[in-house]
Amino acid sequence: MSEQTYEPKIVAFLCKWCSSAGSDLAGVSRIQYPANATPIQVPCSGSVSPMYILSALKKGADGVLVSGCHIGDCHYLEGNYLARRKLHLVKELLQFVGIEENRFRMSWVSAAEGAKFAEVVKEFVDDLRPMGPQEKLKAKRA
Amino acid sequence: MINVQDIRDTARDLLAKGEVRAVIGWRAGSRGMAAEPCVVTKPEEADSLVWDPTCYHNLALQLVNDRKDLVHSKKTATAPIGIVAKGCDARAIVVLLQEHYFKREDVYIIGVSCENSGVLDERKVKAQVGGFAPSAAAFDGDNFSVKTAKGDKKLAGREVMADRCLECRTPFPKENNTAFGDDKTGREFDAQFAALARFEANDEAARWEFWQRQFDRCIRCFACRSVCPMCFCDECVVDSIEMKIAPETTAEEKANRIRWIERSAVRSENATYHMTRALHLAGRCVDCGECERVCPVNIPLRLLNTKMEREAREAFGFDPGASIGGPSLVASFRDDDPGEFIR
C-alpha cells in the first residue's frame, strides 16, 4: 500500500451510555470527521477487557480507541473508575514492549459532546497517519 | 540457620496428631541437586523432607492442585493441609486467600525463612563450577556449598543466587502458623526493579527489537502457565478446550468459536499470549520467578511481571501478597488514580 492511499484503521470501543450516544450526536449534528473509526458498542468502558485491545491490534487495527463516560457519570457508578485503572496498565504494557504510545488512546466523551468525539477521532487519525500501518502485533497469515 | 530436623519434627507431629491430612514440602530430587515437591501423608515419611537452596518450587502450586482435586472429586477435606512455605510461597498463598481460593483454616503454613539467603540459579552455578554438575547443595551461612564430582566447593551467595532472590525484600513468610528462621524482612541485596529500570532506559525501537526476539523464540509449551500458582483457571483464555461439540454442532459454529489467541507459536500470538498473561497477573504476581526459571528458551518473563508489579505499586500504591483482607488490584480504585493519559 502506498503512502498516499494509506488510511489508518481504528477500532473504537464506545460505551453505550455516553460515547456511543456522543458519536451519534456528532452524526446527527453533521459534524465532519474522518471515517476511519469502526465503532463497537460496549455496555461500559469498564467492560473493555485488555484482550479486546490486544485482539484488535492482532487483527490489524492501526489504533484502538476506548471511550466512556466522564469520571463520576458512569451508568454503573464505578465502571469507568475500573476502566481507568485497568487500561492504564494496558497502556503501560504496550509501551513497555515497544508499541508506539499513540496506537492506544482513551477518552471520556459524554452523550452531549458530539463535537468532542469528532475532535478525538480527528486527532487520533492525525497522529496515526504519519506512523504508517501497525505491523508489530499484526498476525501474519498466508 | 534452620535445622531441617525442626521442619520434619513439626510435620511428623502434625500428621501423627491428625491436625493435618498431609504436608506439602520438598524432598531430595532425582534430577541432579534439585529438590522436588512432595506430599507427605504418613508421619514416618516426614524424614524425607528437606530444606536446602535447591527448594526452587513455589509450593503454593501444589496447594492449588490439591484444591482442584478436592473439588473435582467432590470430596470434603477431613483436616487442613500443611505446607512448608518460604517467603514467596507464603505471599502466593496470601494472594490465593485474598481471592478466596480456599479458606485460611484449610491450610496450615509451616513457614521457613530464607534469612539472608535464597535459592540457587542453576545456570549461574554451572558457570561457577565449570562442567561438573553438583549433586547436592547446602546453605553455608550467607553462602552456599555444593558437592561436585571434583569435591566440595564453596560458592559466594551473591554470585549464584537467583535474580528473584537478590531482589527479594520479604524472605520471611509473614503469614504462618509456625515459622523457623530469623525474620530478615527488608533486606536489600540488589535494588528492587533494577533490571527493569535498566531495560526501560532503552528507546521504543530497541524495546520492540528486544521483545520481538523473545516472542519469536517462544515455543508455547505453556510451562510458565503450568508452573504459576496464580494461573489456576480450569480453562485458559488461550485454549478454549471446553466447547461442547454435539452431533448438531455445525462446522461453522466450530470454526467461529471465539479464539482470542491462536495456539500456533508465531510472533503475534506469542506476544498476545505473554502480554495477556502479564495483565492477568497484574497485582497478583508475587515475583516468585518460577515462570522464568522453567522457561526452556530463556524468555525474561520476570521483566513483564515486575513491570506490572512496579506500575501497580507506583500508580496505585498496591502491594500484592501483603494482606489477606485487601481488595484486588483491578477490582478496586481510588479517586485519585492517574488519568492524565485520558483525553
Side-chain angles (χ1 to χ4, degrees):
Chain A
M1 201 187 288
S2 74
E3 275 306 306
Q4 277 86 13
T5 57
Y6 166 68
E7 280 294 331
K9 287 191 290 289
I10 299 173
V11 175
F13 295 100
L14 307 179
C15 144
K16 169 183 172 179
W17 303 96
C18 293
S19 299
S20 197
S23 75
D24 276 351
L25 183 64
V28 295
S29 312
R30 310 252 168 172
I31 300 169
Q32 294 297 313
Y33 67 96
N36 302 48
T38 306
I40 296 179
Q41 198 183 63
V42 292
C44 176
S45 55
S47 75
V48 175
S49 160
M51 299 268 1
Y52 296 4
I53 295 156
L54 295 174
S55 188
L57 292 170
K58 193 160 74 73
K59 288 174 179 153
D62 298 309
V64 178
L65 172 71
V66 177
S67 191
C69 310
H70 285 273
I71 284 294
D73 291 347
C74 180
H75 187 78
Y76 308 100
L77 307 178
E78 54 188 42
N80 49 8
Y81 286 97
L82 297 171
R84 181 171 66 176
R85 184 170 269 210
K86 197 159 45 181
L87 299 182
H88 172 85
L89 293 172
V90 176
K91 172 190 71 105
E92 287 296 325
L93 186 65
L94 284 169
Q95 283 175 29
F96 183 71
V97 300
I99 311 296
E100 296 90 341
E101 188 181 349
N102 278 332
R103 297 277 185 204
F104 171 64
R105 187 156 293 182
M106 202 174 164
S107 64
W108 302 139
V109 173
S110 84
E113 293 177 323
K116 183 180 176 187
F117 182 78
E119 193 54 33
V120 165
V121 174
K122 196 172 157 299
E123 274 179 25
F124 200 6
V125 173
D126 288 346
D127 289 345
L128 284 172
R129 193 166 276 127
M131 285 197 281
Q134 186 271 126
E135 300 284 359
K136 288 175 178 172
L137 289 181
K138 189 178 173 185
K140 289 174 184 54
R141 303 235 162 75
Chain B
M1 276 296 270
I2 293 174
N3 182 359
V4 67
Q5 206 55 45
D6 291 342
I7 302 173
R8 291 171 181 164
D9 291 346
T10 311
R12 190 184 306 107
D13 278 2
L14 288 169
L15 286 166
K17 287 187 199 145
E19 283 181 34
V20 298
R21 61 192 148 90
V23 173
I24 299 167
W26 300 277
R27 68 177 172 208
S30 51
R31 181 185 65 88
M33 62 177 177
E36 64 186 21
C38 67
V39 181
V40 175
T41 50
K42 298 191 190 81
E44 58 271 24
E45 290 171 357
D47 278 335
S48 63
L49 293 175
V50 299
W51 169 241
D52 64 36
T54 64
C55 294
Y56 316 124
H57 298 85
N58 187 339
L59 295 182
L61 175 68
Q62 316 301 319
L63 215 49
V64 169
N65 292 343
D66 174 73
R67 181 79 200 147
K68 280 187 183 168
D69 278 352
L70 281 177
V71 171
H72 292 168
S73 59
K74 298 197 167 65
K75 280 185 206 144
T76 36
T78 48
I81 187 155
I83 179 168
V84 186
K86 50 189 189 297
C88 40
D89 304 26
R91 289 203 303 281
I93 296 171
V94 167
V95 176
L96 291 168
L97 288 168
Q98 189 186 17
E99 297 179 346
H100 307 286
Y101 201 73
F102 39 74
K103 295 196 185 73
R104 181 65 186 87
E105 59 267 26
D106 290 343
V107 46
Y108 188 102
I109 303 172
I110 305 166
V112 287
S113 172
C114 297
E115 298 179 334
N116 276 333
S117 192
V119 299
L120 293 166
D121 182 327
E122 287 199 10
R123 294 177 189 125
K124 291 183 186 174
V125 173
K126 273 178 192 147
Q128 291 269 327
V129 297
F132 289 89
S135 57
F139 292 114
D140 186 358
D142 293 351
N143 298 316
F144 302 105
S145 63
V146 294
K147 262 198 188 63
T148 72
K150 260 198 326 197
D152 289 3
K153 200 166 173 178
K154 275 186 195 289
L155 298 173
R158 305 291 167 87
E159 302 289 320
V160 289
M161 211 187 286
D163 287 345
R164 51 171 161 154
C165 298
L166 289 170
E167 286 187 26
C168 173
R169 305 297 179 83
T170 45
F172 183 79
K174 205 174 72 183
E175 185 66 33
N176 64 63
N177 295 75
T178 175
F180 301 107
D182 299 332
D183 186 350
K184 300 280 185 195
T185 303
R187 72 173 198 194
E188 189 172 344
F189 294 153
D190 240 356
Q192 207 175 13
F193 306 128
L196 185 61
R198 272 198 301 280
F199 176 73
E200 281 196 314
N202 292 316
D203 65 1
E204 188 181 275
R207 289 203 300 273
W208 175 249
E209 166 54 31
F210 175 83
W211 280 114
Q212 87 174 44
R213 265 188 290 123
Q214 313 303 326
F215 294 148
D216 274 347
R217 207 162 64 227
C218 177
I219 55 171
R220 293 292 279 286
C221 64
F222 296 117
C224 45
R225 186 183 72 183
S226 305
V227 82
C228 181
M230 298 307 151
C231 271
F232 50 60
C233 297
D234 280 334
E235 180 175 352
C236 180
V237 67
V238 179
D239 39 32
S240 54
I241 46 173
E242 288 196 354
M243 183 187 174
K244 301 279 183 293
I245 295 179
E248 61 271 20
T249 309
T250 62
E252 198 184 350
E253 279 168 346
K254 285 186 221 169
N256 288 337
R257 72 161 194 273
I258 296 172
R259 278 164 302 184
W260 291 107
I261 303 168
E262 303 283 343
R263 299 190 77 169
S264 46
V266 295
R267 185 194 296 169
S268 62
E269 312 304 313
N270 295 350
T272 326
Y273 164 64
H274 287 294
M275 288 164 80
T276 304
R277 218 179 88 81
L279 286 161
H280 284 182
L281 288 176
R284 310 171 65 233
C285 173
V286 294
D287 196 18
C288 69
E290 283 287 275
C291 45
E292 190 168 297
R293 178 181 70 85
V294 299
C295 182
V297 291
N298 298 344
I299 298 176
L301 292 164
R302 273 189 63 235
L303 268 184
L304 288 172
N305 293 332
T306 48
K307 166 69 186 168
M308 291 289 99
E309 185 185 345
R310 197 187 64 186
E311 211 48 55
R313 184 165 306 170
E314 289 181 355
F316 311 121
F318 190 90
D319 201 2
S323 73
I324 296 175
S328 73
L329 176 71
V330 291
S332 61
F333 61 85
R334 297 188 307 194
D335 280 348
D336 56 349
D337 278 349
E340 302 80 45
F341 69 100
I342 303 166
R343 310 242 162 169

